[in-house]
């Protein structure tokens, strides 16, 4: 168990090194949040959704190749159901991240920085 813990710790720290390097380029709290949201939207969420699709397709493959075995069909069916539920949750989280990013203006340069107002009527 101790060897496993060491391997997981070393792997986790190795994967976290880019985050420490990213910390040097962030100069404000808002910029840090914008960078994190951009990383989540561009890399992490699509990767996780891709894994969910692969899991769903694995269930389809199990179901199709089961033949007449009812237990294998049930296992494939449950894998497909869990895959669809996981995909729904992941897309919902992605939407929530986008809504929060838009609400708190963490999106960067393409988001408006001021609330638009109606100009006063001319001639007054």
């Amino acid at each position: 168990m101790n060897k496993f813990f060491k391997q997981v710790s070393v792997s986790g720290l190795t994967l976290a090194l880019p985050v420490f390097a990213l910390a040097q380029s962030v100069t404000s709290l808002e910029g840090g949040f914008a960078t994190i949201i951009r990383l989540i939207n561009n890399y992490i969420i699509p990767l996780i959704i891709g894994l969910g699709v692969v899991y769903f397709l694995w269930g389809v493959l199990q179901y199709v190749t089961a033949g007449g075995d009812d237990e294998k069909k049930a296992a494939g069916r449950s894998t497909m159901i869990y895959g669809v539920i996981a995909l729904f949750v992941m897309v919902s989280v992605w939407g929530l991240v986008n809504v929060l990013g838009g609400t708190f203006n963490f999106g960067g340069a393409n988001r408006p920085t001021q609330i638009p107002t109606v100009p006063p009527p001319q001639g007054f």
Side-chain angles (χ1 to χ4, degrees):
M1 186 68 174
N2 193 15
K3 184 177 179 181
F4 176 74
F5 179 72
K6 287 180 184 177
Q7 289 175 343
V8 169
S9 299
V10 169
S11 298
L13 289 174
T14 303
L15 292 173
L17 283 176
V19 174
F20 296 133
L22 179 67
Q24 294 177 354
S25 65
V26 174
T27 57
S28 68
L29 185 61
E30 184 177 338
F33 284 132
T35 303
I36 290 170
I37 288 175
R38 188 173 56 249
L39 287 174
I40 289 172
N41 278 335
N42 293 341
Y43 300 109
I44 295 172
I45 299 291
L47 176 70
I48 293 174
I49 289 174
L51 290 174
V53 168
V54 168
Y55 186 74
F56 173 75
L57 292 176
W58 176 255
V60 170
L61 184 69
Q62 283 180 333
Y63 187 80
V64 169
T65 60
D69 191 2
D70 290 334
E71 287 183 23
K72 288 184 180 179
K73 279 189 175 183
R77 187 179 311 119
S78 67
T79 302
M80 287 188 293
I81 290 171
Y82 289 138
V84 168
I85 291 171
L87 285 171
F88 174 76
V89 169
M90 287 183 275
V91 170
S92 299
V93 168
W94 194 1
L96 180 64
V97 167
N98 284 328
V99 166
L100 290 176
T103 301
F104 295 111
N105 197 19
F106 292 145
N110 60 348
R111 303 245 189 226
T113 56
Q114 295 180 353
I115 298 173
T117 58
V118 177
Q122 294 188 4
F124 286 104

